[in-house]
Each structure stands twice: as C-alpha cells, then as structure tokens.
Amino acid sequence: MAAPDPLPISATDDATSRATWIKSTIQEVQSRFLDGVVFDFEGPLLPADRVNINYVLLVNETREALHSAVPGSQISVCLAWNPHGVDGRYYDNLNLMTAADLAYIMSYDTRSQILDQCVASANAALPATRWGLKEYLTLGADPQKMILGVPWYGYDYSCVGGGVGGGRENRGGNVTTRGAGGAGGWGGGRGAATTSPALAMEEEDDDEEEGMDPLGITCPMALVPFRGVDCSDAAGVQVPYSVIQARLIAGKTTTGRLWDSYMETPFYNYVSEEDGSVHQVHYDDAESLRLKYGVARELGLRGVGPYTFDDLPGGGEGGREGEAAARGVWEALRYFTEEEVEEGNEEGGGGRGGSRMGGR
C-alpha cells in the first residue's frame, strides 16, 4: 500500500513521531492483509535539508518494524528517473536504496522540466532511460535493488502555432511510419521516413498563423511552467494506453502510428473533434517497452514494473484489436524474464543470453 500521508519527515519530526506513524501504518497493513508499503515522496529538497535525513530514517525504521511484524513483507521507495535532482528532488538516493528492500526507478515523465525547444516529445525516451539507470549504477547503486518503472500511459499535447515537417515527406529520415494494427499496436508495415520531432525545428513553417499541419511532425506546446521552468509536460494530459490505442484502432488519427528512431518511441497526430485543433500523442507500446526491458536485462536490474496495470485495454475494450494490443504489452514483459529472447537491436539490450531470473 502507499505510505500514508503526511510522512513524519519534517524538520520538527523526531523518533517519537516516526514511531507513532510506523505503528499506525503496520496496523493498517495487517488489517488489510497486505504485505508491503511503498514510499513515493516527490517534494523538492535541497541536499542539506534535514528532511533528507528524516526520510531515510523513516524508510529504514519502517522496514525493520514491518519485517518483524509481517515476515516476508517488503518496503519499496520510488525514485526519479535519474539521481541528479530531477524537479528539485535532491534526495539521498543511495541511502534510501539501502534503507528499503527495493527502489522503483520512475523512468517516465522525463519532460517535466524542458530546457530546450518547447515541443512535444517522448514521455520516456530510450536514451534517457539508459542514461538515468547508468547514472545510479555509476554512483554505486546495487542493481539487484533496482526496479525499472515504465509507463503504460502517454501524453496528449495540443499543438500551438504552426507545426513544421510534412507528415509524409522525406526530410531526413528519423521517423518511420508503421501500421496501427497487430499486437502492441504496430503491425508489420513500414512507411516513408519523415523528420524527428526533436530535429524538425530547423525548418520554418510559412503558415504559422493557419495553425498546425495535421500531418506535421513538430508540435509546439504552450508554455506551462513547473517548479521554475517555463516549459513542461504539464502542457499535456496523461492518457492511458487503452485510450491511445482505441484512437488508432478507430482510424481517428491523421498520421497513423509514427516511430521516432532517436527516442525509440511511437507517436501520432489527430484533430480534435471539439475545436479542430491538432494534437500529438506520445506514448509507449510493446515495441518501445521491449527495448526498455532489454536495457534492464543488460544492466542486471532486479525487475521491471509498469505504471499502471489498469491503463491497458480490458474487458473486451477495443474488440479483437484492443485485446491484441493489450496482449502484446503483457507479452513484452517476457523480454525481461525469459531465459532467451529474440535477437534484437544492440542498443536495446537485445541478443541471447542465460537466465536473469535469479532473485526475482
């Protein structure tokens, strides 16, 4: 269960307040017949803040008490996608990992503070996932305590002004169109190459005042600040994979599924039926998730886990195609757990190797 708020980690909290909170929390765990507690504090902290010390103490003391009261129980702590103060969260990451049984690395929402071009892009780009995990390991984190958290949701951005890069024209070849059908939502067809959203800004759109081209590749976003940075993914709306896939299945996009071969994630455009505005949706599906699971295997992590399970189509949602898409996402997990996987892209951690099931 989620650690109950408020956490007793303020500068004025002491051992007594922590003990009271821990006792109450364990009673709730036992009364609900649960087996663990997840700490997901995400407030900004400076490195020298006393709260950092109190947070580590709370996690450690809760783990010791819960293990005693509920044998076999588990304490996990959620950490940002990289250890370098994401969104002002300068936590004592290594000591938090030591204090907990597991650390869930939230490798998503990586665009919470955008310091370059304010355009829509991947929620969880593969290069960012790989780099963030490696930074934890470089600092001395134990990979067998690390769980790679991946998104089973995406972001829907309303594009402002003129988008650049024609959706079907070959302008440099960093995006590939692929079919919307099949397990995982990508089918088998590959279409014409177009320009990456991250690269297309070098071209000017002469029709900015006319609005975004429904086939455009770059989607300029409105400035929505977050913790001192003017541009953030708060300009978009989080949408579950079930909703994202339903639009593809219904054919209600203007581009079909596109693939950014730098970010290693899919996206598509559609036109709002309410106001005619152009939207761009960035998300993960079976193909992009397999690549991330490959990185987790490669780095020897303890496990992988989605946020969240109920974001997939279910109960017949989307018909056969919806069920196939959901099945594809579930089956992608095999890329991490099975003894052998299909040989894949080296950058995605593909190839064949021995079992990495130990400890899971």
Side-chain angles (χ1 to χ4, degrees), residues 234-271:
V237 176
Q238 288 187 5
V239 285
Y241 181 70
S242 59
V243 173
I244 293 168
Q245 190 64 23
R247 189 177 295 277
L248 277 170
I249 293 172
K252 294 183 178 180
T253 79
T254 56
T255 60
R257 177 187 183 275
L258 301 176
W259 179 262
D260 187 322
S261 59
Y262 178 75
M263 301 297 182
E264 299 280 14
T265 55
F267 68 101
Y268 63 72
N269 292 358
Y270 74 92
V271 175

Side-chain angles (χ1 to χ4, degrees), residues 209-229:
E209 294 184 359
E210 296 182 8
M212 166 89 175
D213 179 355
L215 300 180
I217 295 302
T218 298
C219 170
M221 306 188 315
L223 292 177
V224 179
F226 180 67
R227 293 185 182 174
V229 175

Side-chain angles (χ1 to χ4, degrees), residues 49-96:
D49 197 313
R50 173 70 197 186
V51 174
N52 261 316
I53 297 175
N54 288 347
Y55 190 22
V56 172
L57 288 172
L58 179 65
V59 173
N60 185 65
E61 292 167 6
T62 303
R63 177 179 57 82
E64 292 178 346
L66 186 62
H67 284 186
S68 177
V70 184
S73 56
Q74 176 179 285
I75 294 292
S76 57
V77 60
C78 297
L79 299 175
W81 66 273
N82 81 64
H84 302 304
V86 172
D87 302 337
R89 290 177 279 168
Y90 292 94
Y91 298 170
D92 189 354
N93 293 299
L94 294 187
N95 280 326
L96 282 171

Side-chain angles (χ1 to χ4, degrees), residues 69-357:
V70 184
S73 56
Q74 176 179 285
I75 294 292
S76 57
V77 60
C78 297
L79 299 175
W81 66 273
N82 81 64
H84 302 304
V86 172
D87 302 337
R89 290 177 279 168
Y90 292 94
Y91 298 170
D92 189 354
N93 293 299
L94 294 187
N95 280 326
L96 282 171
M97 286 187 179
T98 299
D101 296 306
L102 296 172
Y104 182 83
I105 309 302
M106 300 180 288
S107 192
Y108 42 78
D109 291 352
T110 61
R111 304 273 292 170
S112 56
Q113 292 184 316
I114 302 171
L115 302 177
D116 50 15
Q117 296 163 338
C118 194
V119 298
S121 190
N123 178 25
L126 185 67
T129 296
R130 182 188 297 275
W131 179 80
L133 294 174
K134 284 188 171 181
E135 287 299 286
Y136 276 106
L137 297 176
T138 297
L139 293 177
D142 179 359
Q144 280 296 294
K145 277 204 165 187
M146 294 170 62
I147 306 296
L148 171 61
V150 296
W152 283 6
Y153 69 94
Y155 275 89
D156 183 329
Y157 296 99
S158 178
C159 307
V160 299
V164 294
R168 301 299 181 194
E169 181 182 354
N170 189 334
R171 297 173 181 257
N174 207 49
V175 173
T176 304
T177 62
R178 295 180 182 172
W186 67 281
R190 292 174 183 262
T194 58
T195 304
S196 167
L199 303 178
M201 285 297 288
E202 64 190 45
E203 304 226 9
E204 295 288 338
D205 186 346
D206 295 330
D207 301 316
E208 283 196 22
E209 294 184 359
E210 296 182 8
M212 166 89 175
D213 179 355
L215 300 180
I217 295 302
T218 298
C219 170
M221 306 188 315
L223 292 177
V224 179
F226 180 67
R227 293 185 182 174
V229 175
D230 287 340
C231 180
S232 75
D233 58 16
V237 176
Q238 288 187 5
V239 285
Y241 181 70
S242 59
V243 173
I244 293 168
Q245 190 64 23
R247 189 177 295 277
L248 277 170
I249 293 172
K252 294 183 178 180
T253 79
T254 56
T255 60
R257 177 187 183 275
L258 301 176
W259 179 262
D260 187 322
S261 59
Y262 178 75
M263 301 297 182
E264 299 280 14
T265 55
F267 68 101
Y268 63 72
N269 292 358
Y270 74 92
V271 175
S272 170
E273 296 179 356
E274 295 181 1
D275 60 13
S277 62
V278 176
H279 287 237
Q280 191 168 92
V281 179
H282 288 263
Y283 61 103
D284 278 271
D285 61 9
E287 181 175 8
S288 63
L289 292 168
R290 281 196 298 268
L291 297 175
K292 293 176 174 64
Y293 301 151
V295 170
R297 283 178 63 95
E298 170 193 325
L299 299 179
L301 302 194
R302 179 71 173 273
V304 297
Y307 185 85
T308 65
F309 287 107
D310 57 8
D311 279 339
L312 293 189
E317 186 177 4
R320 291 182 180 179
E321 290 179 280
E323 292 177 1
R327 185 167 59 250
V329 172
W330 279 111
E331 291 178 351
L333 289 166
R334 293 181 180 179
Y335 202 81
F336 179 78
T337 60
E338 288 191 343
E339 291 188 6
E340 293 191 353
V341 294
E342 293 183 4
E343 189 169 356
N345 187 316
E346 183 177 351
E347 284 298 304
R352 296 181 180 271
S355 172
R356 291 182 178 270
M357 288 291 289

